[in-house]
Structures are given as structure tokens and as C-alpha cells.
Amino acid sequence: MGNTGAMSTIRRPLGWVSALLIATASIVVPAGVSPVAPALAAGGLGAGGEFFPLTPTRIYDSRPESAVNEPAPGAKTANGAAPTFDIALLGQGGVPADASRVLAVVVNITVTAPTGNGWLSAFGAGARPSTPTSIINFVRNQTVPNLAMVRPGADGRLSIQLFSSAAGGATAHVIVDVFGWIATSANPDRGSRLVPVTPGRVLDTRDTGGPIGAGQARDLTVRGLNAGGVAVPDGSDIVGAVLNITGINNTAASLDTYVSVVPDPLGGGRATTSNLNLTRGVVKSNLVIVPVNAGDGRVRIYNNSGSVNVAVDVVGYLQRRTDDTRGGRIVPLSSPFRVFDTREAAFGNLELGPGQAEPWSFADFASSVNIGGVSVGNQAAVIGNFTSASLRRQSASVAVSSYLSVYPDQMPVGSRPSASNVNTVENMPVPNLAVVKYGSANTAWVYNLAGYAHYLFDASAVVLAD
């Protein structure tokens, strides 16, 4: 499934304004789009669309010194032809081997040691999108992770695509860690549902507790949380959290490091998978879906090296339910779908200026999501890769950095969202998976702090509402 035609005509105000924008960008989906899996349709909902978290496990690594499930370790080719290679998803790291039970798999994909600039995409083998979409944008010698929700394709495999514009092509290593999977209605066990919330910042070590040192962890209580405008119920049915983790690696003691979010105390050990890779002086975010500790309802935020500050925004939680209602079920699209790109003429080719916020209507997109030609009905949120495509200076002589936030409802003029989705810099596309909770009439707002920003959104799943 892909975007095969003009999406919409958008009219947005030009120039800088500090007030919220009034015009709404409507997303119009081309006819004939059938973007979801058929697995929820038959035999009642059961466990269909429910999430099963796993202990984070590395299921693929192309590096010769640490190869996993790679018979011929070595860097993968990236060039203008965007070549692909396949890896196994089913039966890996706790994911069932039975294809009839698995709708999608949640993985953290990392590109490391690229020899040129480029992007990575991933999709079920045999289900290549007709319009290219991206999960990771990388530059030479950079290590970049991103969470992704992917559907197994032919033979339960995932195709990974690497593009580079470098003269003569480039190479890069790829690492894949699995964090959970989403069930079909045929799965015999019950999982958990995703409850999206209006994003709120619940921890910032710059304000509380100071940076996290090497080999140390900071606990965050999820069950019963009431902070930053976010409230999470206090009960044993709360089994996981959906967090946007931002690493601020600019302390005097900072080193290149990685940050991991885990449910259980490490007991002096070392986290073997990573959620966020940081170089010195960098501010970077990544979405995390993590179980909470069964006993104390907490998660642990672990830092490997040096000293790093961390900000945590809650965007949702996982709740175990036994009823057969729709709410909170995750339905993956048949392949990633580019919902909008502000650089395109169909969307006005207009940047979002400093201090601006603008609404996007997802109503047409939501109504197009169907199973076998039948609409899936009401939706609470859409999940997809939100990418800052570019950031331009307000003044040619003054460098700029910024952040973009996505949230469901209009905020008062002059107020800023307490949470961020991506931290942006000049001359570098920055992606991050986002859970976009819908506001009234399936609308979501995007806010830009500084500079002039282009951005895009590639949807990979929707969250059903009752």
C-alpha cells in the first residue's frame, strides 16, 4: 500500500506568527488504498491487536565481532538503487514462529558505522511500499536507532532497505533488537491494550536528581503515576509504558554512550540491548515500549558510559484487559504509508516557523483504514515515524536548534507543550516513532520551537477506539 496520487490542497498562513495557526491541513487519501491486515476480522476479536512485551533481545547484528543471525557478517550495501536484505522475525527473541498468531513485531533498528549519508526503510518481505518511506536517516559515521512496528512478510521475514546518495555508494552495519509483538485473533493468550495519553514530561534529570552516571540507573514509577499532566492507574493490570526518552549528552563528564530502559534492576550488570545511542554534545530522542516491573510497577533507565541527563515523556501505557471490546487494539498497516510531507506541493511546500503550531486533520486517513474493504471504525491514535526533514535558520548568522511536538488538542496561545517528539538541528533529518493521539474530529497539532522546519509522517499502525 502506498500513496499513489495527490493527497490534498493545503492553505497555511505564510510568515512568522506566535499564535496558533487557524487553517487545518486536511489529509486526503487516494482511492483504492487498503492499508491494514485482515487478521482481526474473523472469529471474534480475542487477542487480536493486543501487545505482548518481551525481554529485549538482539535478533540481528551484521558486525563480524558480534554477529547475530547473519551467516556472512559484514557491512551492508547502501546506494542510489536502495538495495534490500532480509532477516527472520518469526521465531526470534520470543516472537512466536506461527505466522497465524503474529500481526506485527516491535523492533529497535540501529544503523552504525555508515560510510555515507542515507536512510533505512523496513517492510515485510514482498510488501515493498510503492512510495518510499523511511525509519532512520543517518549521516556518515553516525550511530542512529529508531523504534519500528513492522509486519512479517513472506516466510516471516523482514526486508531492510538501505539508500545512500554518496558517490560510489556506501556501506553500513545494521542491528535489530526485538521488544514485543502484536497478536492476531487466533492467538490463544490475552495480551495488553495501548491507552494513548496527551504527552507529558514526567522526569527531567536536569531538574531532579542530576545526570545518570556510568553503569547507573534511575527508577521511574509508572503505576499510579500522576505528573506532567499524565495520570496512569495504579493496578496490577498496568503492565507496560510507552515513553519518549530524550538523552541530553552535554555534561562535563559526557562520553559516547547508550541508554537502555528495562523493567528489572540490573544488579550491577550491563544492559545488553540499547534504546538510545548518544555521542558527546548530542540531544536525541527515541520512543520506547517497555514492560513495568511486575512487583513495583517501575522501569529503570540505564546509562552505560560517562554522565548523561535524561528527559522522559509518557505518551501511553499498556493495560491488560479480558473483555472483547475494541479500545486499545493495535492494527498494523499492510506496509508503511506516507501520510504527509510538508515539502511536497500537495501540502503547500511551507515550513512551520518559530513558535508556530498547526493542526492536521486525519479524518480522511482514518476513514480509509479498512480490513477487506470494511472500515475498522473509530480510532484513538495513529502510530508512525515522525521525521524532522529540515531546519532552517531564522537569521543567516545565528545557528539554530529546535524541537517538534505532536499533541491532540489546541493549546492556549503562547503556551508550549511540555513534551517533545524530536530534537532538531540544521542539515540533519531526525526521525522518531510517534504515538499520535487524536483530538476532536481526528485532529493532531504540530508545534515547532525555533527556526523554520519541514517535517513528514509515515504511518505504520492505528489504535482502535471503542
Side-chain angles (χ1 to χ4, degrees):
M1 186 281 307
N3 173 10
T4 57
M7 298 287 284
S8 61
T9 300
I10 309 302
R11 299 189 183 277
R12 292 189 278 162
L14 294 171
W16 184 91
V17 291
S18 60
L20 298 177
L21 302 185
I22 297 173
T24 300
S26 298
I27 299 159
V28 179
V29 178
V33 171
S34 180
V36 299
L40 294 183
L45 295 175
E50 294 186 341
F51 181 73
F52 290 76
L54 296 171
T55 300
T57 303
R58 185 146 294 172
I59 62 171
Y60 179 80
D61 192 335
S62 67
R63 297 172 296 177
E65 67 274 17
S66 54
V68 176
N69 291 333
E70 174 52 75
K76 297 297 181 178
T77 299
N79 57 39
T84 64
F85 66 95
D86 291 354
I87 69 168
L89 283 180
L90 297 182
Q92 303 297 314
V95 177
D98 183 355
S100 70
R101 295 174 57 191
V102 181
L103 265 181
V105 181
V106 176
V107 292
N108 205 62
I109 303 176
T110 302
V111 169
T112 189
T115 61
N117 299 358
W119 51 256
L120 176 147
S121 183
F123 41 85
R128 184 171 182 156
S130 58
T131 298
T133 59
S134 60
I135 292 174
I136 295 172
N137 298 80
F138 55 86
V139 300
R140 186 174 180 268
N141 294 328
Q142 187 183 35
T143 297
V144 189
N146 200 6
L147 196 69
M149 195 169 289
V150 294
R151 288 194 62 210
D155 300 320
R157 300 181 72 79
L158 180 72
S159 290
I160 296 177
Q161 181 180 37
L162 284 167
F163 170 88
S164 177
S165 58
T171 62
H173 284 289
V174 177
I175 302 164
V176 181
D177 299 326
V178 65
F179 285 83
W181 57 284
I182 299 163
T184 68
S185 304
N187 193 65
D189 304 314
R190 299 303 297 262
S192 56
R193 314 272 187 91
L194 171 58
V195 182
V197 301
T198 298
R201 181 146 295 175
V202 299
L203 173 68
D204 191 330
T205 63
R206 293 172 296 181
D207 301 326
T208 304
I212 304 173
Q216 296 180 351
R218 189 70 48 86
D219 287 3
L220 174 67
T221 299
V222 175
R223 286 185 189 149
L225 176 70
N226 193 342
V230 176
V232 178
D234 186 4
S236 59
D237 58 338
I238 306 303
V239 297
V242 186
L243 311 172
N244 203 58
I245 305 291
T246 301
I248 305 109
N249 199 19
N250 55 6
T251 67
S254 67
L255 298 169
D256 291 357
T257 187
Y258 66 83
V259 173
S260 300
V261 186
V262 296
D264 304 316
L266 291 171
R270 184 170 176 263
T272 56
T273 59
S274 62
N275 296 100
L276 193 60
N277 296 80
L278 295 166
T279 55
R280 278 174 277 193
V282 164
V283 179
K284 188 184 295 184
S285 301
N286 203 17
L287 194 73
V288 175
I289 302 177
V290 60
V292 301
N293 181 272
D296 60 21
R298 299 178 181 178
V299 298
R300 278 80 190 175
I301 303 160
Y302 167 88
N303 171 46
N304 187 64
S305 304
S307 181
V308 65
N309 278 303
V310 174
V312 181
D313 302 326
V314 175
V315 299
Y317 57 89
L318 299 173
Q319 185 173 31
R320 184 176 289 117
R321 294 168 59 177
T322 58
D323 58 69
D324 215 30
T325 56
R326 295 164 32 90
R329 297 177 187 270
I330 302 169
V331 184
L333 305 186
S334 57
S335 61
F337 174 67
R338 180 146 294 175
V339 179
F340 60 76
D341 184 340
T342 63
R343 299 169 298 180
E344 298 294 332
F347 299 101
N349 188 26
L350 291 174
E351 299 162 307
L352 183 61
Q356 287 186 347
E358 60 187 351
W360 289 88
S361 172
F362 284 77
D364 288 314
F365 168 79
S367 65
S368 77
V369 178
N370 65 88
I371 296 172
V374 179
S375 171
V376 300
N378 293 339
Q379 296 150 51
V382 59
I383 301 173
N385 206 47
F386 182 71
T387 300
S388 168
S390 65
L391 180 65
R392 183 169 59 88
R393 297 181 180 189
Q394 294 163 234
S395 170
S397 61
V398 180
V400 65
S401 60
S402 183
Y403 67 76
L404 293 171
S405 297
V406 187
Y407 49 96
D409 297 304
Q410 181 172 339
M411 302 183 73
V413 173
S415 69
R416 296 179 180 177
S418 63
S420 61
N421 289 86
V422 292
N423 293 81
T424 59
V425 295
E426 299 175 66
N427 304 316
M428 185 182 297
V430 183
N432 193 16
L433 193 69
V435 177
V436 180
K437 181 184 178 183
Y438 291 145
S440 58
N442 296 105
T443 296
W445 289 72
V446 177
Y447 171 84
N448 174 43
L449 174 67
Y452 294 88
H454 274 305
Y455 57 93
L456 59 90
F457 185 74
D458 294 329
S460 55
V462 297
V463 182
L464 301 185
D466 288 327

